[in-house]
PDB file of all heavy atoms in Angstrom:
ATOM      1  N   ALA A  30      91.484 131.221  99.490  1.00  0.00           N
ATOM      2  CA  ALA A  30      92.002 130.023  98.870  1.00  0.00           C
ATOM      3  C   ALA A  30      91.192 128.842  99.098  1.00  0.00           C
ATOM      4  O   ALA A  30      90.380 128.753 100.048  1.00  0.00           O
ATOM      5  CB  ALA A  30      93.432 129.840  99.387  1.00  0.00           C
ATOM      6  N   GLN A  98      75.306 113.224 118.016  1.00  0.00           N
ATOM      7  CA  GLN A  98      75.672 114.727 118.314  1.00  0.00           C
ATOM      8  C   GLN A  98      75.075 115.619 117.126  1.00  0.00           C
ATOM      9  O   GLN A  98      74.488 116.642 117.420  1.00  0.00           O
ATOM     10  CB  GLN A  98      77.128 114.923 118.484  1.00  0.00           C
ATOM     11  CG  GLN A  98      77.355 116.310 119.068  1.00  0.00           C
ATOM     12  CD  GLN A  98      78.824 116.515 119.458  1.00  0.00           C
ATOM     13  OE1 GLN A  98      79.684 115.709 119.117  1.00  0.00           O
ATOM     14  NE2 GLN A  98      79.104 117.553 120.143  1.00  0.00           N
ATOM     15  N   TYR A 177      99.257 115.165 117.753  1.00  0.00           N
ATOM     16  CA  TYR A 177      98.359 115.525 118.819  1.00  0.00           C
ATOM     17  C   TYR A 177      98.838 115.041 120.128  1.00  0.00           C
ATOM     18  O   TYR A 177      98.942 113.816 120.376  1.00  0.00           O
ATOM     19  CB  TYR A 177      96.978 114.896 118.643  1.00  0.00           C
ATOM     20  CG  TYR A 177      96.175 115.509 117.428  1.00  0.00           C
ATOM     21  CD1 TYR A 177      96.440 115.079 116.124  1.00  0.00           C
ATOM     22  CD2 TYR A 177      95.258 116.598 117.589  1.00  0.00           C
ATOM     23  CE1 TYR A 177      95.693 115.649 115.006  1.00  0.00           C
ATOM     24  CE2 TYR A 177      94.597 117.106 116.531  1.00  0.00           C
ATOM     25  CZ  TYR A 177      94.872 116.717 115.282  1.00  0.00           C
ATOM     26  OH  TYR A 177      94.178 117.270 114.204  1.00  0.00           O
ATOM     27  N   GLU A 242      70.005 110.846 109.559  1.00  0.00           N
ATOM     28  CA  GLU A 242      70.396 112.104 108.925  1.00  0.00           C
ATOM     29  C   GLU A 242      69.222 112.877 108.518  1.00  0.00           C
ATOM     30  O   GLU A 242      69.148 114.124 108.526  1.00  0.00           O
ATOM     31  CB  GLU A 242      71.252 111.736 107.664  1.00  0.00           C
ATOM     32  CG  GLU A 242      72.783 111.325 108.019  1.00  0.00           C
ATOM     33  CD  GLU A 242      73.578 111.302 106.769  1.00  0.00           C
ATOM     34  OE1 GLU A 242      73.126 110.994 105.668  1.00  0.00           O
ATOM     35  OE2 GLU A 242      74.750 111.671 106.960  1.00  0.00           O
ATOM     36  N   PRO A 247      68.096 119.377 106.032  1.00  0.00           N
ATOM     37  CA  PRO A 247      68.461 119.079 104.690  1.00  0.00           C
ATOM     38  C   PRO A 247      69.938 118.941 104.437  1.00  0.00           C
ATOM     39  O   PRO A 247      70.705 119.539 105.209  1.00  0.00           O
ATOM     40  CB  PRO A 247      67.850 120.309 103.902  1.00  0.00           C
ATOM     41  CG  PRO A 247      67.873 121.381 104.938  1.00  0.00           C
ATOM     42  CD  PRO A 247      67.617 120.717 106.250  1.00  0.00           C
ATOM     43  N   ASP A 248      70.250 118.079 103.540  1.00  0.00           N
ATOM     44  CA  ASP A 248      71.719 117.874 103.140  1.00  0.00           C
ATOM     45  C   ASP A 248      72.010 118.745 101.977  1.00  0.00           C
ATOM     46  O   ASP A 248      71.553 118.447 100.841  1.00  0.00           O
ATOM     47  CB  ASP A 248      71.831 116.362 102.845  1.00  0.00           C
ATOM     48  CG  ASP A 248      73.322 115.956 102.833  1.00  0.00           C
ATOM     49  OD1 ASP A 248      74.147 116.873 103.065  1.00  0.00           O
ATOM     50  OD2 ASP A 248      73.556 114.720 102.788  1.00  0.00           O
ATOM     51  N   LYS A 367     101.467 118.822 112.894  1.00  0.00           N
ATOM     52  CA  LYS A 367     101.657 120.016 113.832  1.00  0.00           C
ATOM     53  C   LYS A 367     101.617 119.405 115.219  1.00  0.00           C
ATOM     54  O   LYS A 367     100.759 118.597 115.582  1.00  0.00           O
ATOM     55  CB  LYS A 367     100.575 120.977 113.598  1.00  0.00           C
ATOM     56  CG  LYS A 367     100.733 122.178 114.463  1.00  0.00           C
ATOM     57  CD  LYS A 367      99.478 123.111 114.417  1.00  0.00           C
ATOM     58  CE  LYS A 367      99.597 124.253 115.482  1.00  0.00           C
ATOM     59  NZ  LYS A 367      98.359 124.964 115.668  1.00  0.00           N
ATOM     60  N   ARG A 369     100.268 119.715 118.399  1.00  0.00           N
ATOM     61  CA  ARG A 369      99.019 120.385 118.894  1.00  0.00           C
ATOM     62  C   ARG A 369      98.941 120.114 120.445  1.00  0.00           C
ATOM     63  O   ARG A 369      98.635 118.995 120.846  1.00  0.00           O
ATOM     64  CB  ARG A 369      97.788 119.890 118.196  1.00  0.00           C
ATOM     65  CG  ARG A 369      97.811 120.119 116.686  1.00  0.00           C
ATOM     66  CD  ARG A 369      96.868 119.158 115.956  1.00  0.00           C
ATOM     67  NE  ARG A 369      96.642 119.545 114.655  1.00  0.00           N
ATOM     68  CZ  ARG A 369      97.242 119.041 113.619  1.00  0.00           C
ATOM     69  NH1 ARG A 369      98.227 118.230 113.760  1.00  0.00           N
ATOM     70  NH2 ARG A 369      96.914 119.389 112.391  1.00  0.00           N
ATOM     71  N   ARG A 376      91.535 118.573 129.006  1.00  0.00           N
ATOM     72  CA  ARG A 376      91.651 117.584 127.927  1.00  0.00           C
ATOM     73  C   ARG A 376      92.612 116.433 128.196  1.00  0.00           C
ATOM     74  O   ARG A 376      92.375 115.375 127.807  1.00  0.00           O
ATOM     75  CB  ARG A 376      92.027 118.348 126.574  1.00  0.00           C
ATOM     76  CG  ARG A 376      91.064 119.370 126.160  1.00  0.00           C
ATOM     77  CD  ARG A 376      89.813 118.929 125.628  1.00  0.00           C
ATOM     78  NE  ARG A 376      88.978 120.065 125.200  1.00  0.00           N
ATOM     79  CZ  ARG A 376      87.938 120.581 125.917  1.00  0.00           C
ATOM     80  NH1 ARG A 376      87.664 120.028 127.119  1.00  0.00           N
ATOM     81  NH2 ARG A 376      87.336 121.628 125.579  1.00  0.00           N
TER      82      ARG A 376
ATOM     83  N   GLU B  19      92.010 122.490 119.921  1.00  0.00           N
ATOM     84  CA  GLU B  19      90.868 121.639 120.283  1.00  0.00           C
ATOM     85  C   GLU B  19      90.709 120.587 119.251  1.00  0.00           C
ATOM     86  O   GLU B  19      90.971 120.802 118.077  1.00  0.00           O
ATOM     87  CB  GLU B  19      89.598 122.460 120.406  1.00  0.00           C
ATOM     88  CG  GLU B  19      89.541 123.364 121.613  1.00  0.00           C
ATOM     89  CD  GLU B  19      89.144 122.675 122.903  1.00  0.00           C
ATOM     90  OE1 GLU B  19      89.353 121.461 122.959  1.00  0.00           O
ATOM     91  OE2 GLU B  19      88.692 123.347 123.789  1.00  0.00           O
ATOM     92  N   GLN B  26      81.310 121.696 117.717  1.00  0.00           N
ATOM     93  CA  GLN B  26      80.239 122.104 118.707  1.00  0.00           C
ATOM     94  C   GLN B  26      80.407 123.571 118.947  1.00  0.00           C
ATOM     95  O   GLN B  26      79.363 124.226 119.016  1.00  0.00           O
ATOM     96  CB  GLN B  26      80.450 121.268 119.981  1.00  0.00           C
ATOM     97  CG  GLN B  26      79.369 121.487 120.934  1.00  0.00           C
ATOM     98  CD  GLN B  26      77.964 121.013 120.334  1.00  0.00           C
ATOM     99  OE1 GLN B  26      77.751 119.935 119.827  1.00  0.00           O
ATOM    100  NE2 GLN B  26      77.000 121.971 120.213  1.00  0.00           N
ATOM    101  N   ASP B  46      93.088 124.175 113.923  1.00  0.00           N
ATOM    102  CA  ASP B  46      94.282 123.444 113.393  1.00  0.00           C
ATOM    103  C   ASP B  46      93.952 121.938 113.465  1.00  0.00           C
ATOM    104  O   ASP B  46      94.900 121.013 113.468  1.00  0.00           O
ATOM    105  CB  ASP B  46      95.541 123.690 114.214  1.00  0.00           C
ATOM    106  CG  ASP B  46      95.342 123.361 115.723  1.00  0.00           C
ATOM    107  OD1 ASP B  46      94.222 122.898 116.183  1.00  0.00           O
ATOM    108  OD2 ASP B  46      96.281 123.662 116.507  1.00  0.00           O
ATOM    109  N   HIS B  47      92.657 121.596 113.389  1.00  0.00           N
ATOM    110  CA  HIS B  47      92.281 120.226 113.405  1.00  0.00           C
ATOM    111  C   HIS B  47      91.498 119.953 112.019  1.00  0.00           C
ATOM    112  O   HIS B  47      90.266 120.171 111.896  1.00  0.00           O
ATOM    113  CB  HIS B  47      91.259 119.997 114.609  1.00  0.00           C
ATOM    114  CG  HIS B  47      90.860 118.614 114.803  1.00  0.00           C
ATOM    115  ND1 HIS B  47      91.702 117.506 114.892  1.00  0.00           N
ATOM    116  CD2 HIS B  47      89.541 118.026 114.856  1.00  0.00           C
ATOM    117  CE1 HIS B  47      90.998 116.370 115.014  1.00  0.00           C
ATOM    118  NE2 HIS B  47      89.698 116.715 115.052  1.00  0.00           N
ATOM    119  N   TRP B  56      79.707 120.947 106.237  1.00  0.00           N
ATOM    120  CA  TRP B  56      78.483 120.305 106.063  1.00  0.00           C
ATOM    121  C   TRP B  56      77.389 120.683 107.022  1.00  0.00           C
ATOM    122  O   TRP B  56      76.263 120.981 106.648  1.00  0.00           O
ATOM    123  CB  TRP B  56      78.839 118.806 106.277  1.00  0.00           C
ATOM    124  CG  TRP B  56      77.725 117.838 106.011  1.00  0.00           C
ATOM    125  CD1 TRP B  56      77.326 117.414 104.705  1.00  0.00           C
ATOM    126  CD2 TRP B  56      76.850 117.145 106.964  1.00  0.00           C
ATOM    127  NE1 TRP B  56      76.340 116.495 104.860  1.00  0.00           N
ATOM    128  CE2 TRP B  56      76.008 116.337 106.166  1.00  0.00           C
ATOM    129  CE3 TRP B  56      76.785 117.273 108.283  1.00  0.00           C
ATOM    130  CZ2 TRP B  56      75.027 115.527 106.780  1.00  0.00           C
ATOM    131  CZ3 TRP B  56      75.764 116.494 108.871  1.00  0.00           C
ATOM    132  CH2 TRP B  56      74.922 115.717 108.170  1.00  0.00           C
ATOM    133  N   ALA B  59      76.237 124.341 106.206  1.00  0.00           N
ATOM    134  CA  ALA B  59      75.415 124.264 105.033  1.00  0.00           C
ATOM    135  C   ALA B  59      73.933 123.967 105.465  1.00  0.00           C
ATOM    136  O   ALA B  59      72.934 124.606 104.948  1.00  0.00           O
ATOM    137  CB  ALA B  59      75.882 123.306 103.969  1.00  0.00           C
ATOM    138  N   ARG B  60      73.810 123.005 106.342  1.00  0.00           N
ATOM    139  CA  ARG B  60      72.489 122.655 106.794  1.00  0.00           C
ATOM    140  C   ARG B  60      71.790 123.825 107.491  1.00  0.00           C
ATOM    141  O   ARG B  60      70.645 123.973 107.496  1.00  0.00           O
ATOM    142  CB  ARG B  60      72.648 121.495 107.903  1.00  0.00           C
ATOM    143  CG  ARG B  60      72.409 120.168 107.337  1.00  0.00           C
ATOM    144  CD  ARG B  60      72.372 119.192 108.527  1.00  0.00           C
ATOM    145  NE  ARG B  60      72.073 117.840 108.077  1.00  0.00           N
ATOM    146  CZ  ARG B  60      72.022 116.745 108.884  1.00  0.00           C
ATOM    147  NH1 ARG B  60      72.177 116.967 110.137  1.00  0.00           N
ATOM    148  NH2 ARG B  60      71.656 115.593 108.404  1.00  0.00           N
ATOM    149  N   VAL B  67      87.215 128.665 103.098  1.00  0.00           N
ATOM    150  CA  VAL B  67      88.441 128.144 103.899  1.00  0.00           C
ATOM    151  C   VAL B  67      89.637 128.657 103.325  1.00  0.00           C
ATOM    152  O   VAL B  67      89.824 128.666 102.128  1.00  0.00           O
ATOM    153  CB  VAL B  67      88.426 126.523 103.683  1.00  0.00           C
ATOM    154  CG1 VAL B  67      89.532 125.936 104.596  1.00  0.00           C
ATOM    155  CG2 VAL B  67      87.143 125.973 104.035  1.00  0.00           C
ATOM    156  N   SER B  73      99.335 123.637 108.739  1.00  0.00           N
ATOM    157  CA  SER B  73      98.288 122.987 109.526  1.00  0.00           C
ATOM    158  C   SER B  73      97.453 123.989 110.325  1.00  0.00           C
ATOM    159  O   SER B  73      97.031 123.731 111.501  1.00  0.00           O
ATOM    160  CB  SER B  73      98.956 121.995 110.484  1.00  0.00           C
ATOM    161  OG  SER B  73      99.707 121.123 109.834  1.00  0.00           O
ATOM    162  N   GLU B  74      97.249 125.162 109.790  1.00  0.00           N
ATOM    163  CA  GLU B  74      96.276 126.079 110.441  1.00  0.00           C
ATOM    164  C   GLU B  74      95.367 126.637 109.390  1.00  0.00           C
ATOM    165  O   GLU B  74      95.838 126.972 108.261  1.00  0.00           O
ATOM    166  CB  GLU B  74      96.963 127.249 111.129  1.00  0.00           C
ATOM    167  CG  GLU B  74      97.614 126.757 112.466  1.00  0.00           C
ATOM    168  CD  GLU B  74      98.052 127.890 113.338  1.00  0.00           C
ATOM    169  OE1 GLU B  74      97.664 128.992 113.147  1.00  0.00           O
ATOM    170  OE2 GLU B  74      98.856 127.599 114.299  1.00  0.00           O
TER     171      GLU B  74
END
Side-chain angles (χ1 to χ4, degrees):
Chain A
Q98 190 172 14
Y177 289 86
E242 284 192 326
D248 198 352
K367 183 189 171 193
R369 294 157 170 97
R376 301 287 179 262
Chain B
E19 290 283 22
Q26 189 60 58
D46 59 5
H47 184 55
W56 188 81
R60 262 188 176 181
V67 186
S73 307
E74 287 193 14

